[in-house]
Amino acid sequence: MDTVLSGIRPTGNLHLGNYYGAVRSFVKMQYEYNCLFFIADWHSLTTHPTPENIQNSARTILAEYLACGLDPEKATIYVQSDVPETLELYLYFNMNTYLGELGRVTTFKEKARQQPDNVNAGLFTYPTLMAADILQHRAKYVPVGKDQEQNMEIARKCARRFNNIYKTELFPEPQNYYFGAEALKVPGLDGTGKMGKSDGNCIYLCDEEKVVRKKVMRAVTDNGPQALNSEKPEVIENLFKMMSIVSDAETVKYFDEKWNDCTLRYGDMKKQLAEDMVKVLNPIRERIQEFSANTELLDKIARQGAERARESASATLKEVRKIIGFRI
Ligand code: TRP
């Protein structure tokens, strides 16, 4: 069974975009692959050296993952900092990765611009830590967004280079995993493309029902249809797109016809949209609250995940040490 590894930095709460774009697919994948889902808390230190409560940030993601249906019996769910083996591999990869390569990474250049007083070595070597995350499990697939392509390229380079230098075939070259059609791009509420982490634009999985309704009612629209059967402008297209994700086909058709004959009132449509969204979100939010209240259970799940992740990583590290020539 092929191994899939996914990582997320613990920087807040999951939103509907995360859910329909990835997490819902993870739930399926855990039955088809050897899946590892981890929370990259070390990586968050590259930009936030003094986190408020890093354990709680990890627990938040963990609770939300579990609420969405990730099953700790099926998948290995763990926190990066619970697996010290990663760091040894990170060190070896740092020996074979060149300043020029790391310096060309756009995400590094962007962050360096954003935090000119803290252009630290961890930020610079973010990609080699990521390579260690992946290759310690010899993962074949990594689901990542476009912004991670350069990091993935470096992970492949680390694998290739290690194999070449030590004349081994230990590491597979990890590939970007593309979700099938079931992964959906959720538009933002402010009418600008994708749902992302900003308050006017996104609905969090943990948002209370009335917050969800309020946010939907405030979604950006326009003056309404001006001519029969006209093309929809992007903001309205987005509203329909969102409805097609959470509502049934009949409902979408009903409002689409209203658009076409110019009788659509956005208020009515948004009310319906909010209603259907709340139906999706209520059970998830309730589960988030249950899991969040049970830190003992969360910590137990994280410990169990770490145990399995360490087993997988130490098997790789044992090979690596042997190959380089260290005592094992
Ligand atoms: N860099 C990833 C992001 O920002 C997070 C991450 C860290 C990651 N290590 C990883 C993702 C390993 C996949 C595999 O989204």
Side-chain angles (χ1 to χ4, degrees):
M1 208 196 272
D2 288 332
T3 296
V4 178
L5 174 94
S6 159
I8 184 168
R9 273 172 297 126
T11 56
N13 296 96
L14 297 181
H15 52 68
L16 270 181
N18 301 125
Y19 181 66
Y20 284 105
V23 183
R24 209 178 46 149
S25 302
F26 292 163
V27 175
K28 276 198 185 161
M29 286 161 71
Q30 66 187 344
Y31 302 104
E32 296 159 9
Y33 297 95
N34 171 36
C35 281
L36 300 117
F37 302 106
F38 82 99
I39 298 163
D41 55 351
W42 275 327
H43 271 113
S44 65
L45 291 182
T46 61
T47 51
H48 297 81
T50 55
E52 182 75 30
N53 186 338
I54 194 131
Q55 288 187 47
N56 262 346
S57 306
R59 284 189 194 110
T60 299
I61 302 280
L62 181 57
E64 292 179 336
Y65 266 175
L66 296 168
C68 290
L70 291 195
D71 179 353
E73 296 305 320
K74 285 276 163 221
T76 300
I77 311 171
Y78 71 96
V79 179
Q80 188 182 35
S81 62
D82 286 338
V83 182
E85 285 77 6
T86 317
L87 298 178
E88 187 175 343
L89 194 55
Y90 169 55
L91 179 135
Y92 300 137
F93 288 154
N94 279 337
M95 303 299 172
N96 302 325
T97 307
Y98 305 109
L99 298 191
E101 294 168 331
L102 295 171
R104 276 194 293 277
V105 177
T106 355
T107 41
F108 167 71
K109 290 194 277 192
E110 254 167 49
K111 287 284 182 317
R113 215 175 307 128
Q114 286 165 12
Q115 51 185 61
D117 300 327
N118 184 21
V119 186
N120 60 76
L123 191 63
F124 193 64
T125 56
Y126 186 116
T128 49
L129 180 55
M130 183 160 157
D133 291 328
I134 299 166
L135 293 169
Q136 66 185 339
H137 304 299
R138 288 175 264 183
K140 183 159 179 198
Y141 297 113
V142 182
V144 285
K146 267 231 158 316
D147 61 324
Q148 297 296 310
E149 267 165 26
Q150 272 181 308
N151 288 340
M152 284 302 296
E153 200 43 63
I154 291 186
R156 282 188 281 274
K157 240 181 226 171
C158 287
R160 229 168 12 236
R161 219 167 257 166
F162 187 94
N163 291 347
N164 283 338
I165 292 175
Y166 299 105
K167 313 244 174 314
T168 165
E169 286 176 5
L170 182 66
F171 293 118
E173 286 185 29
Q175 297 164 34
N176 300 29
Y177 181 91
Y178 296 101
F179 296 116
E182 85 272 9
L184 304 172
K185 189 179 132 192
V186 182
L189 294 172
D190 61 3
T192 61
K194 226 172 110 182
M195 182 171 281
K197 257 179 218 152
S198 79
D199 269 349
N201 189 30
C202 105
I203 290 176
Y204 292 104
L205 300 183
C206 62
D207 276 346
E208 291 293 341
E209 192 173 322
K210 60 176 190 300
V211 175
V212 175
R213 290 182 199 277
K214 201 152 85 189
K215 284 182 176 175
V216 172
M217 293 317 284
R218 284 192 190 149
V220 177
T221 51
D222 63 3
N223 302 329
Q226 304 295 319
L228 292 176
N229 303 309
S230 58
E231 206 179 301
K232 299 183 189 91
E234 199 192 350
V235 274
I236 307 308
E237 196 58 71
N238 283 349
L239 205 60
F240 273 91
K241 178 90 201 289
M242 213 165 324
M243 185 171 248
S244 74
I245 292 172
V246 295
S247 308
D248 55 36
E250 282 297 298
T251 310
V252 181
K253 189 161 163 255
Y254 172 84
F255 287 102
D256 199 45
E257 280 166 6
K258 296 222 159 236
W259 167 269
N260 282 331
D261 65 18
C262 293
T263 56
L264 177 61
R265 282 165 34 190
Y266 293 136
D268 297 341
M269 181 173 171
K270 286 173 170 178
K271 240 184 228 148
Q272 183 65 50
L273 176 60
E275 197 55 45
D276 293 334
M277 209 175 265
V278 159
K279 273 202 201 107
V280 173
L281 287 173
N282 272 353
I284 298 178
R285 189 192 53 251
E286 278 163 23
R287 285 196 297 269
I288 292 177
Q289 286 168 350
E290 280 167 25
F291 279 116
S292 300
N294 196 345
T295 46
E296 221 168 284
L297 176 64
L298 292 176
D299 292 354
K300 188 175 147 222
I301 289 171
R303 258 198 305 275
Q304 176 195 313
E307 219 167 276
R308 278 199 252 152
R310 292 193 69 179
E311 232 169 78
S312 152
S314 51
T316 302
L317 260 301
K318 195 172 159 197
E319 292 303 313
V320 168
R321 291 182 67 99
K322 232 194 283 177
I323 289 166
I324 301 178
F326 291 112
R327 190 168 30 234
I328 53 166

PDB file of all heavy atoms in Angstrom, residues 70-100:
ATOM      1  N   LEU A  70     -11.330  11.967  10.274  1.00  0.00           N
ATOM      2  CA  LEU A  70     -10.058  11.246  10.242  1.00  0.00           C
ATOM      3  C   LEU A  70     -10.063  10.259  11.402  1.00  0.00           C
ATOM      4  O   LEU A  70     -10.443  10.611  12.525  1.00  0.00           O
ATOM      5  CB  LEU A  70      -8.872  12.198  10.358  1.00  0.00           C
ATOM      6  CG  LEU A  70      -8.622  13.108   9.166  1.00  0.00           C
ATOM      7  CD1 LEU A  70      -7.234  13.722   9.249  1.00  0.00           C
ATOM      8  CD2 LEU A  70      -8.781  12.384   7.843  1.00  0.00           C
ATOM      9  N   ASP A  71      -9.647   9.053  11.101  1.00  0.00           N
ATOM     10  CA  ASP A  71      -9.773   7.966  12.065  1.00  0.00           C
ATOM     11  C   ASP A  71      -8.392   7.519  12.538  1.00  0.00           C
ATOM     12  O   ASP A  71      -7.610   6.972  11.764  1.00  0.00           O
ATOM     13  CB  ASP A  71     -10.513   6.810  11.373  1.00  0.00           C
ATOM     14  CG  ASP A  71     -10.675   5.600  12.272  1.00  0.00           C
ATOM     15  OD1 ASP A  71     -10.107   5.589  13.392  1.00  0.00           O
ATOM     16  OD2 ASP A  71     -11.350   4.658  11.842  1.00  0.00           O
ATOM     17  N   PRO A  72      -8.078   7.769  13.802  1.00  0.00           N
ATOM     18  CA  PRO A  72      -6.725   7.447  14.295  1.00  0.00           C
ATOM     19  C   PRO A  72      -6.430   5.945  14.283  1.00  0.00           C
ATOM     20  O   PRO A  72      -5.273   5.551  14.467  1.00  0.00           O
ATOM     21  CB  PRO A  72      -6.725   8.003  15.716  1.00  0.00           C
ATOM     22  CG  PRO A  72      -8.143   8.165  16.095  1.00  0.00           C
ATOM     23  CD  PRO A  72      -8.922   8.364  14.831  1.00  0.00           C
ATOM     24  N   GLU A  73      -7.446   5.133  14.063  1.00  0.00           N
ATOM     25  CA  GLU A  73      -7.185   3.698  13.926  1.00  0.00           C
ATOM     26  C   GLU A  73      -6.763   3.362  12.497  1.00  0.00           C
ATOM     27  O   GLU A  73      -6.058   2.381  12.261  1.00  0.00           O
ATOM     28  CB  GLU A  73      -8.433   2.873  14.301  1.00  0.00           C
ATOM     29  CG  GLU A  73      -8.870   3.011  15.757  1.00  0.00           C
ATOM     30  CD  GLU A  73      -7.748   2.687  16.754  1.00  0.00           C
ATOM     31  OE1 GLU A  73      -6.984   1.726  16.497  1.00  0.00           O
ATOM     32  OE2 GLU A  73      -7.624   3.402  17.760  1.00  0.00           O
ATOM     33  N   LYS A  74      -7.220   4.165  11.563  1.00  0.00           N
ATOM     34  CA  LYS A  74      -6.895   3.926  10.144  1.00  0.00           C
ATOM     35  C   LYS A  74      -5.626   4.660   9.750  1.00  0.00           C
ATOM     36  O   LYS A  74      -4.757   4.129   9.074  1.00  0.00           O
ATOM     37  CB  LYS A  74      -8.039   4.440   9.257  1.00  0.00           C
ATOM     38  CG  LYS A  74      -9.258   3.562   9.271  1.00  0.00           C
ATOM     39  CD  LYS A  74      -9.094   2.416   8.272  1.00  0.00           C
ATOM     40  CE  LYS A  74     -10.096   1.324   8.593  1.00  0.00           C
ATOM     41  NZ  LYS A  74      -9.515  -0.009   8.458  1.00  0.00           N
ATOM     42  N   ALA A  75      -5.557   5.936  10.110  1.00  0.00           N
ATOM     43  CA  ALA A  75      -4.441   6.785   9.699  1.00  0.00           C
ATOM     44  C   ALA A  75      -3.560   7.081  10.905  1.00  0.00           C
ATOM     45  O   ALA A  75      -3.992   6.954  12.052  1.00  0.00           O
ATOM     46  CB  ALA A  75      -4.973   8.083   9.118  1.00  0.00           C
ATOM     47  N   THR A  76      -2.326   7.467  10.622  1.00  0.00           N
ATOM     48  CA  THR A  76      -1.433   7.895  11.694  1.00  0.00           C
ATOM     49  C   THR A  76      -1.507   9.414  11.785  1.00  0.00           C
ATOM     50  O   THR A  76      -1.140  10.109  10.847  1.00  0.00           O
ATOM     51  CB  THR A  76       0.005   7.440  11.380  1.00  0.00           C
ATOM     52  OG1 THR A  76       0.010   6.018  11.285  1.00  0.00           O
ATOM     53  CG2 THR A  76       0.976   7.880  12.457  1.00  0.00           C
ATOM     54  N   ILE A  77      -2.029   9.890  12.886  1.00  0.00           N
ATOM     55  CA  ILE A  77      -2.183  11.332  13.059  1.00  0.00           C
ATOM     56  C   ILE A  77      -1.217  11.750  14.172  1.00  0.00           C
ATOM     57  O   ILE A  77      -1.299  11.221  15.284  1.00  0.00           O
ATOM     58  CB  ILE A  77      -3.634  11.692  13.435  1.00  0.00           C
ATOM     59  CG1 ILE A  77      -4.616  10.993  12.476  1.00  0.00           C
ATOM     60  CG2 ILE A  77      -3.839  13.203  13.399  1.00  0.00           C
ATOM     61  CD1 ILE A  77      -6.078  11.109  12.882  1.00  0.00           C
ATOM     62  N   TYR A  78      -0.286  12.634  13.855  1.00  0.00           N
ATOM     63  CA  TYR A  78       0.725  12.953  14.864  1.00  0.00           C
ATOM     64  C   TYR A  78       1.186  14.404  14.782  1.00  0.00           C
ATOM     65  O   TYR A  78       0.885  15.120  13.829  1.00  0.00           O
ATOM     66  CB  TYR A  78       1.921  12.000  14.738  1.00  0.00           C
ATOM     67  CG  TYR A  78       2.796  12.198  13.510  1.00  0.00           C
ATOM     68  CD1 TYR A  78       3.960  12.960  13.591  1.00  0.00           C
ATOM     69  CD2 TYR A  78       2.468  11.633  12.291  1.00  0.00           C
ATOM     70  CE1 TYR A  78       4.782  13.135  12.482  1.00  0.00           C
ATOM     71  CE2 TYR A  78       3.278  11.804  11.177  1.00  0.00           C
ATOM     72  CZ  TYR A  78       4.429  12.551  11.275  1.00  0.00           C
ATOM     73  OH  TYR A  78       5.228  12.739  10.178  1.00  0.00           O
ATOM     74  N   VAL A  79       1.915  14.782  15.816  1.00  0.00           N
ATOM     75  CA  VAL A  79       2.467  16.131  15.900  1.00  0.00           C
ATOM     76  C   VAL A  79       3.970  16.031  15.614  1.00  0.00           C
ATOM     77  O   VAL A  79       4.671  15.199  16.186  1.00  0.00           O
ATOM     78  CB  VAL A  79       2.202  16.731  17.301  1.00  0.00           C
ATOM     79  CG1 VAL A  79       2.788  18.134  17.407  1.00  0.00           C
ATOM     80  CG2 VAL A  79       0.703  16.746  17.604  1.00  0.00           C
ATOM     81  N   GLN A  80       4.432  16.894  14.723  1.00  0.00           N
ATOM     82  CA  GLN A  80       5.828  16.862  14.261  1.00  0.00           C
ATOM     83  C   GLN A  80       6.833  16.814  15.416  1.00  0.00           C
ATOM     84  O   GLN A  80       7.767  16.019  15.416  1.00  0.00           O
ATOM     85  CB  GLN A  80       6.073  18.104  13.401  1.00  0.00           C
ATOM     86  CG  GLN A  80       7.395  18.167  12.673  1.00  0.00           C
ATOM     87  CD  GLN A  80       7.519  19.478  11.896  1.00  0.00           C
ATOM     88  OE1 GLN A  80       7.036  20.526  12.345  1.00  0.00           O
ATOM     89  NE2 GLN A  80       8.137  19.427  10.741  1.00  0.00           N
ATOM     90  N   SER A  81       6.632  17.661  16.413  1.00  0.00           N
ATOM     91  CA  SER A  81       7.619  17.773  17.490  1.00  0.00           C
ATOM     92  C   SER A  81       7.640  16.548  18.410  1.00  0.00           C
ATOM     93  O   SER A  81       8.487  16.457  19.299  1.00  0.00           O
ATOM     94  CB  SER A  81       7.369  19.041  18.316  1.00  0.00           C
ATOM     95  OG  SER A  81       6.089  18.979  18.916  1.00  0.00           O
ATOM     96  N   ASP A  82       6.727  15.606  18.205  1.00  0.00           N
ATOM     97  CA  ASP A  82       6.755  14.361  18.966  1.00  0.00           C
ATOM     98  C   ASP A  82       7.663  13.308  18.309  1.00  0.00           C
ATOM     99  O   ASP A  82       7.802  12.207  18.829  1.00  0.00           O
ATOM    100  CB  ASP A  82       5.339  13.759  19.079  1.00  0.00           C
ATOM    101  CG  ASP A  82       4.465  14.522  20.066  1.00  0.00           C
ATOM    102  OD1 ASP A  82       5.024  15.205  20.949  1.00  0.00           O
ATOM    103  OD2 ASP A  82       3.231  14.432  19.953  1.00  0.00           O
ATOM    104  N   VAL A  83       8.226  13.667  17.162  1.00  0.00           N
ATOM    105  CA  VAL A  83       9.019  12.685  16.410  1.00  0.00           C
ATOM    106  C   VAL A  83      10.437  13.209  16.169  1.00  0.00           C
ATOM    107  O   VAL A  83      10.736  13.774  15.118  1.00  0.00           O
ATOM    108  CB  VAL A  83       8.324  12.340  15.060  1.00  0.00           C
ATOM    109  CG1 VAL A  83       9.097  11.289  14.284  1.00  0.00           C
ATOM    110  CG2 VAL A  83       6.892  11.865  15.314  1.00  0.00           C
ATOM    111  N   PRO A  84      11.323  13.052  17.158  1.00  0.00           N
ATOM    112  CA  PRO A  84      12.665  13.630  17.054  1.00  0.00           C
ATOM    113  C   PRO A  84      13.501  13.031  15.917  1.00  0.00           C
ATOM    114  O   PRO A  84      14.459  13.660  15.466  1.00  0.00           O
ATOM    115  CB  PRO A  84      13.291  13.330  18.418  1.00  0.00           C
ATOM    116  CG  PRO A  84      12.452  12.264  19.036  1.00  0.00           C
ATOM    117  CD  PRO A  84      11.088  12.416  18.461  1.00  0.00           C
ATOM    118  N   GLU A  85      13.133  11.838  15.443  1.00  0.00           N
ATOM    119  CA  GLU A  85      13.867  11.215  14.333  1.00  0.00           C
ATOM    120  C   GLU A  85      13.955  12.149  13.120  1.00  0.00           C
ATOM    121  O   GLU A  85      14.945  12.136  12.381  1.00  0.00           O
ATOM    122  CB  GLU A  85      13.191   9.898  13.905  1.00  0.00           C
ATOM    123  CG  GLU A  85      13.416   8.723  14.854  1.00  0.00           C
ATOM    124  CD  GLU A  85      12.557   8.782  16.121  1.00  0.00           C
ATOM    125  OE1 GLU A  85      11.686   9.688  16.223  1.00  0.00           O
ATOM    126  OE2 GLU A  85      12.751   7.932  17.009  1.00  0.00           O
ATOM    127  N   THR A  86      12.901  12.933  12.940  1.00  0.00           N
ATOM    128  CA  THR A  86      12.853  13.868  11.797  1.00  0.00           C
ATOM    129  C   THR A  86      14.106  14.741  11.751  1.00  0.00           C
ATOM    130  O   THR A  86      14.640  15.037  10.686  1.00  0.00           O
ATOM    131  CB  THR A  86      11.624  14.806  11.926  1.00  0.00           C
ATOM    132  OG1 THR A  86      10.495  14.044  12.334  1.00  0.00           O
ATOM    133  CG2 THR A  86      11.328  15.504  10.614  1.00  0.00           C
ATOM    134  N   LEU A  87      14.563  15.146  12.942  1.00  0.00           N
ATOM    135  CA  LEU A  87      15.650  16.125  12.999  1.00  0.00           C
ATOM    136  C   LEU A  87      16.971  15.552  12.520  1.00  0.00           C
ATOM    137  O   LEU A  87      17.783  16.275  11.941  1.00  0.00           O
ATOM    138  CB  LEU A  87      15.791  16.639  14.436  1.00  0.00           C
ATOM    139  CG  LEU A  87      14.558  17.368  14.946  1.00  0.00           C
ATOM    140  CD1 LEU A  87      14.756  17.800  16.382  1.00  0.00           C
ATOM    141  CD2 LEU A  87      14.226  18.549  14.048  1.00  0.00           C
ATOM    142  N   GLU A  88      17.171  14.284  12.757  1.00  0.00           N
ATOM    143  CA  GLU A  88      18.421  13.683  12.302  1.00  0.00           C
ATOM    144  C   GLU A  88      18.458  13.636  10.777  1.00  0.00           C
ATOM    145  O   GLU A  88      19.470  13.963  10.151  1.00  0.00           O
ATOM    146  CB  GLU A  88      18.590  12.277  12.901  1.00  0.00           C
ATOM    147  CG  GLU A  88      19.961  11.708  12.580  1.00  0.00           C
ATOM    148  CD  GLU A  88      20.233  10.368  13.240  1.00  0.00           C
ATOM    149  OE1 GLU A  88      19.535   9.992  14.203  1.00  0.00           O
ATOM    150  OE2 GLU A  88      21.169   9.683  12.776  1.00  0.00           O
ATOM    151  N   LEU A  89      17.331  13.285  10.204  1.00  0.00           N
ATOM    152  CA  LEU A  89      17.266  13.243   8.745  1.00  0.00           C
ATOM    153  C   LEU A  89      17.410  14.648   8.151  1.00  0.00           C
ATOM    154  O   LEU A  89      18.080  14.846   7.130  1.00  0.00           O
ATOM    155  CB  LEU A  89      15.950  12.594   8.303  1.00  0.00           C
ATOM    156  CG  LEU A  89      15.864  12.177   6.841  1.00  0.00           C
ATOM    157  CD1 LEU A  89      17.010  11.247   6.455  1.00  0.00           C
ATOM    158  CD2 LEU A  89      14.521  11.507   6.560  1.00  0.00           C
ATOM    159  N   TYR A  90      16.814  15.609   8.831  1.00  0.00           N
ATOM    160  CA  TYR A  90      16.917  17.034   8.450  1.00  0.00           C
ATOM    161  C   TYR A  90      18.387  17.444   8.396  1.00  0.00           C
ATOM    162  O   TYR A  90      18.850  18.081   7.456  1.00  0.00           O
ATOM    163  CB  TYR A  90      16.115  17.818   9.486  1.00  0.00           C
ATOM    164  CG  TYR A  90      16.207  19.317   9.554  1.00  0.00           C
ATOM    165  CD1 TYR A  90      15.966  20.130   8.449  1.00  0.00           C
ATOM    166  CD2 TYR A  90      16.452  19.945  10.787  1.00  0.00           C
ATOM    167  CE1 TYR A  90      15.975  21.515   8.563  1.00  0.00           C
ATOM    168  CE2 TYR A  90      16.458  21.317  10.908  1.00  0.00           C
ATOM    169  CZ  TYR A  90      16.229  22.105   9.800  1.00  0.00           C
ATOM    170  OH  TYR A  90      16.226  23.472   9.924  1.00  0.00           O
ATOM    171  N   LEU A  91      19.138  17.008   9.396  1.00  0.00           N
ATOM    172  CA  LEU A  91      20.562  17.331   9.422  1.00  0.00           C
ATOM    173  C   LEU A  91      21.292  16.738   8.208  1.00  0.00           C
ATOM    174  O   LEU A  91      22.037  17.426   7.522  1.00  0.00           O
ATOM    175  CB  LEU A  91      21.193  16.832  10.727  1.00  0.00           C
ATOM    176  CG  LEU A  91      22.697  17.100  10.866  1.00  0.00           C
ATOM    177  CD1 LEU A  91      23.009  17.643  12.241  1.00  0.00           C
ATOM    178  CD2 LEU A  91      23.489  15.827  10.624  1.00  0.00           C
ATOM    179  N   TYR A  92      21.027  15.482   7.908  1.00  0.00           N
ATOM    180  CA  TYR A  92      21.702  14.867   6.760  1.00  0.00           C
ATOM    181  C   TYR A  92      21.325  15.578   5.465  1.00  0.00           C
ATOM    182  O   TYR A  92      22.191  15.821   4.623  1.00  0.00           O
ATOM    183  CB  TYR A  92      21.367  13.368   6.655  1.00  0.00           C
ATOM    184  CG  TYR A  92      21.786  12.567   7.867  1.00  0.00           C
ATOM    185  CD1 TYR A  92      20.949  11.596   8.410  1.00  0.00           C
ATOM    186  CD2 TYR A  92      23.028  12.781   8.464  1.00  0.00           C
ATOM    187  CE1 TYR A  92      21.331  10.853   9.525  1.00  0.00           C
ATOM    188  CE2 TYR A  92      23.411  12.051   9.586  1.00  0.00           C
ATOM    189  CZ  TYR A  92      22.563  11.095  10.113  1.00  0.00           C
ATOM    190  OH  TYR A  92      22.937  10.377  11.218  1.00  0.00           O
ATOM    191  N   PHE A  93      20.060  15.914   5.326  1.00  0.00           N
ATOM    192  CA  PHE A  93      19.638  16.598   4.097  1.00  0.00           C
ATOM    193  C   PHE A  93      20.278  17.984   3.998  1.00  0.00           C
ATOM    194  O   PHE A  93      20.618  18.443   2.914  1.00  0.00           O
ATOM    195  CB  PHE A  93      18.109  16.696   4.004  1.00  0.00           C
ATOM    196  CG  PHE A  93      17.435  15.385   3.714  1.00  0.00           C
ATOM    197  CD1 PHE A  93      16.118  15.141   4.109  1.00  0.00           C
ATOM    198  CD2 PHE A  93      18.112  14.366   3.040  1.00  0.00           C
ATOM    199  CE1 PHE A  93      15.495  13.931   3.828  1.00  0.00           C
ATOM    200  CE2 PHE A  93      17.496  13.144   2.762  1.00  0.00           C
ATOM    201  CZ  PHE A  93      16.182  12.928   3.163  1.00  0.00           C
ATOM    202  N   ASN A  94      20.460  18.635   5.143  1.00  0.00           N
ATOM    203  CA  ASN A  94      21.108  19.949   5.110  1.00  0.00           C
ATOM    204  C   ASN A  94      22.545  19.866   4.592  1.00  0.00           C
ATOM    205  O   ASN A  94      23.063  20.826   4.031  1.00  0.00           O
ATOM    206  CB  ASN A  94      21.092  20.588   6.500  1.00  0.00           C
ATOM    207  CG  ASN A  94      19.753  21.240   6.804  1.00  0.00           C
ATOM    208  OD1 ASN A  94      19.008  21.594   5.894  1.00  0.00           O
ATOM    209  ND2 ASN A  94      19.434  21.387   8.081  1.00  0.00           N
ATOM    210  N   MET A  95      23.172  18.706   4.766  1.00  0.00           N
ATOM    211  CA  MET A  95      24.549  18.548   4.301  1.00  0.00           C
ATOM    212  C   MET A  95      24.635  18.462   2.783  1.00  0.00           C
ATOM    213  O   MET A  95      25.684  18.704   2.205  1.00  0.00           O
ATOM    214  CB  MET A  95      25.173  17.268   4.889  1.00  0.00           C
ATOM    215  CG  MET A  95      25.167  17.205   6.392  1.00  0.00           C
ATOM    216  SD  MET A  95      26.106  18.564   7.103  1.00  0.00           S
ATOM    217  CE  MET A  95      25.713  18.352   8.836  1.00  0.00           C
ATOM    218  N   ASN A  96      23.537  18.107   2.151  1.00  0.00           N
ATOM    219  CA  ASN A  96      23.557  17.892   0.699  1.00  0.00           C
ATOM    220  C   ASN A  96      22.642  18.839  -0.057  1.00  0.00           C
ATOM    221  O   ASN A  96      22.239  18.557  -1.172  1.00  0.00           O
ATOM    222  CB  ASN A  96      23.130  16.456   0.355  1.00  0.00           C
ATOM    223  CG  ASN A  96      24.014  15.430   1.021  1.00  0.00           C
ATOM    224  OD1 ASN A  96      25.209  15.658   1.166  1.00  0.00           O
ATOM    225  ND2 ASN A  96      23.435  14.333   1.428  1.00  0.00           N
ATOM    226  N   THR A  97      22.276  19.937   0.601  1.00  0.00           N
ATOM    227  CA  THR A  97      21.411  20.907  -0.082  1.00  0.00           C
ATOM    228  C   THR A  97      22.166  22.223  -0.086  1.00  0.00           C
ATOM    229  O   THR A  97      22.808  22.574   0.910  1.00  0.00           O
ATOM    230  CB  THR A  97      20.060  21.047   0.656  1.00  0.00           C
ATOM    231  OG1 THR A  97      19.508  19.747   0.825  1.00  0.00           O
ATOM    232  CG2 THR A  97      19.082  21.901  -0.133  1.00  0.00           C
ATOM    233  N   TYR A  98      22.140  22.926  -1.212  1.00  0.00           N
ATOM    234  CA  TYR A  98      23.025  24.066  -1.375  1.00  0.00           C
ATOM    235  C   TYR A  98      22.314  25.398  -1.165  1.00  0.00           C
ATOM    236  O   TYR A  98      21.122  25.525  -1.405  1.00  0.00           O
ATOM    237  CB  TYR A  98      23.713  23.976  -2.748  1.00  0.00           C
ATOM    238  CG  TYR A  98      24.409  22.641  -2.867  1.00  0.00           C
ATOM    239  CD1 TYR A  98      23.926  21.644  -3.709  1.00  0.00           C
ATOM    240  CD2 TYR A  98      25.487  22.345  -2.017  1.00  0.00           C
ATOM    241  CE1 TYR A  98      24.533  20.390  -3.738  1.00  0.00           C
ATOM    242  CE2 TYR A  98      26.088  21.098  -2.043  1.00  0.00           C
ATOM    243  CZ  TYR A  98      25.613  20.121  -2.903  1.00  0.00           C
ATOM    244  OH  TYR A  98      26.191  18.898  -2.906  1.00  0.00           O
ATOM    245  N   LEU A  99      23.112  26.348  -0.679  1.00  0.00           N
ATOM    246  CA  LEU A  99      22.562  27.675  -0.365  1.00  0.00           C
ATOM    247  C   LEU A  99      21.793  28.254  -1.544  1.00  0.00           C
ATOM    248  O   LEU A  99      20.725  28.825  -1.385  1.00  0.00           O
ATOM    249  CB  LEU A  99      23.694  28.638   0.025  1.00  0.00           C
ATOM    250  CG  LEU A  99      24.517  28.286   1.260  1.00  0.00           C
ATOM    251  CD1 LEU A  99      25.405  29.471   1.642  1.00  0.00           C
ATOM    252  CD2 LEU A  99      23.618  27.922   2.432  1.00  0.00           C
ATOM    253  N   GLY A 100      22.378  28.079  -2.738  1.00  0.00           N
ATOM    254  CA  GLY A 100      21.752  28.644  -3.934  1.00  0.00           C
ATOM    255  C   GLY A 100      20.343  28.099  -4.134  1.00  0.00           C
ATOM    256  O   GLY A 100      19.418  28.852  -4.427  1.00  0.00           O
TER     257      GLY A 100
END
